[in-house]
């Protein structure tokens, strides 16, 4: 969380949220992307910029959607299995 700074991380921090949180790294729109994903929000570093995403936990997996309305991409970050 130190990498993202208090401004972005503070709203995500609760004991419950941290127990379910995970780190996700891939590429998105041609840029490296690394995210701290909690139950409802994800804070991501996309290239050199910071962005926040909504988190949707569905029966098919966990998806991120950018908070900015101009981009409607859904990014699958976790699969659902029988033991999820």
């Amino acid at each position: 969380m130190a990498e993202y700074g208090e401004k972005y991380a503070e709203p995500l921090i609760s004991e419950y949220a941290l127990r379910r949180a995970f780190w996700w790294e891939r590429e998105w729109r041609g840029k490296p992307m690394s995210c701290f994903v909690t139950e409802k929000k994800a804070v991501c570093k996309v290239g050199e910029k910071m962005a926040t995403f909504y988190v949707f936990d569905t029966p098919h997996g966990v998806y991120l959607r950018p908070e900015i309305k101009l981009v409607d991409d859904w990014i699958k970050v976790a699969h659902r299995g029988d033991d999820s």
Side-chain angles (χ1 to χ4, degrees), residues 23-39:
W23 192 264
W24 182 82
E25 291 184 330
R26 290 274 162 77
E27 189 174 286
W28 181 59
R29 298 182 151 221
K31 295 181 181 175
M33 179 175 179
S34 61
C35 300
F36 180 66
V37 183
T38 65
E39 183 183 19

